[in-house]
Amino acid sequence: DTGVSQDPRHKITKRGQNVTFRCDPISEHNRLYWYRQTLGQGPEFLTYFQNEAQLEKSRLLSDRFSAERPKGSFSTLEIQRTEQGDSAMYLCASSSPGQGQPQHFGDGTRLSIL
Amino acid sequence: KQEVTQIPAALSVPEGENLVLNCSFTDSAIYNLQWFRQDPGKGLTSLLLIQSSQREQTSGRLNASLDKSSGRSTLYIAASQPGDSATYLCAVCKISSGSARQLTFGSGTQLTVLP
């Protein structure tokens, strides 16, 4: 069990650029979540996948954001035309099937918009 | 809408002291409650998970309790150590009509244990 892996750990980009983050969940976990965390706050839910299907999206996920999990394994989160307000830590979590399973988090990708 | 509040926002204690962190939530229709630890610049490490049918969970020096009816949970840390210094977050998994088991987090308690 190698844990949830996220890449890159840090991303610095100019406003208006597109960025893409990757998450590799724990191998047997079919549920995958993306959260966003700003300084001094707890993480906020963005979106949820069960296998390859994106089943839920938060209203925080504007149309500049898109997430995929094409083969039900790794997932990508893309932000287009980045804005200053997108600066945050983007966290990925995964959990195994069944009710009440704990979510396991990666170390996150810290995005800084110049 | 589920809201989660953690008090205090920050806490500083001398090494060896026992301490209690508090978490309250507004909607008691939850699957479970999870306590996490977060070190600066890092992700979240799961500490304890309490199912809605349970009253408490223990792991080593940590004990978490859940009172679903009053919307409260506490995390008790015994014999605190400097290595316990971190931000502690509680999160509830709300029962919803969808299949997602998204977590709603509090803002955390930043704990400093002084040597």
Side-chain angles (χ1 to χ4, degrees):
Chain A
D1 180 355
T2 57
V4 178
S5 176
Q6 292 189 246
D7 184 69
R9 291 294 316 279
H10 303 276
K11 180 70 177 178
I12 302 173
T13 191
K14 292 181 180 179
R15 186 164 51 99
Q17 297 295 304
N18 300 342
V19 293
T20 300
F21 312 139
R22 176 179 170 126
C23 170
D24 286 272
I26 293 171
S27 57
E28 63 269 24
H29 287 184
N30 71 332
R31 293 179 171 179
L32 187 146
Y33 302 81
W34 285 97
Y35 292 84
R36 181 173 70 185
Q37 185 179 26
T38 53
L39 206 60
Q41 301 298 314
E44 293 176 291
F45 170 76
L46 291 178
T47 191
Y48 160 72
F49 289 86
Q50 186 166 305
N51 300 310
E52 68 276 7
Q54 187 176 19
L55 296 183
E56 211 159 306
K57 293 194 284 187
S58 161
R59 54 186 163 78
L60 292 176
L61 212 68
S62 76
D63 54 8
R64 295 185 299 106
F65 288 70
S66 62
E68 294 183 342
R69 194 182 183 199
K71 296 181 180 178
S73 56
F74 73 91
S75 175
T76 58
L77 178 67
E78 180 184 17
I79 309 174
Q80 296 183 327
R81 306 180 303 280
T82 51
E83 301 174 355
Q84 290 283 349
D86 296 332
S87 294
M89 173 82 90
Y90 290 84
L91 293 160
C92 176
S94 68
S95 68
S96 54
Q99 284 200 108
Q101 296 300 314
Q103 292 186 23
H104 299 268
F105 282 76
D107 278 342
T109 294
R110 179 163 296 284
L111 174 64
S112 299
I113 307 296
L114 301 177
Chain B
K1 181 189 171 205
Q2 179 74 273
E3 291 182 4
V4 180
T5 303
Q6 291 188 247
I7 294 172
L11 181 64
S12 183
V13 300
E15 182 176 3
E17 195 162 296
N18 302 327
L19 58 101
V20 174
L21 307 180
N22 297 292
C23 172
S24 61
F25 49 95
T26 54
D27 188 341
S28 61
I30 63 170
Y31 281 115
N32 57 53
L33 183 146
Q34 205 166 346
W35 281 94
F36 294 89
R37 169 188 173 134
Q38 187 172 32
D39 293 289
K42 297 283 193 178
L44 280 63
T45 300
S46 180
L47 298 174
L48 290 164
L49 180 144
I50 312 176
Q51 303 292 355
S52 63
S53 58
Q54 297 174 323
R55 299 286 287 188
E56 65 179 320
Q57 282 287 331
T58 298
S59 176
R61 294 182 295 109
L62 305 179
N63 175 276
S65 69
L66 174 64
D67 184 342
K68 201 173 65 165
S69 61
S70 68
R72 293 181 184 179
S73 176
T74 61
L75 178 66
Y76 174 83
I77 302 177
S80 58
Q81 303 170 357
D84 294 331
S85 298
T87 296
Y88 290 80
L89 294 152
C90 78
V92 296
C93 182
K94 184 178 178 301
I95 293 172
S96 68
S97 57
S99 60
R101 300 292 181 257
Q102 66 197 70
L103 297 175
T104 303
F105 285 83
S107 296
T109 294
Q110 186 173 357
L111 173 66
T112 303
V113 181
L114 303 169

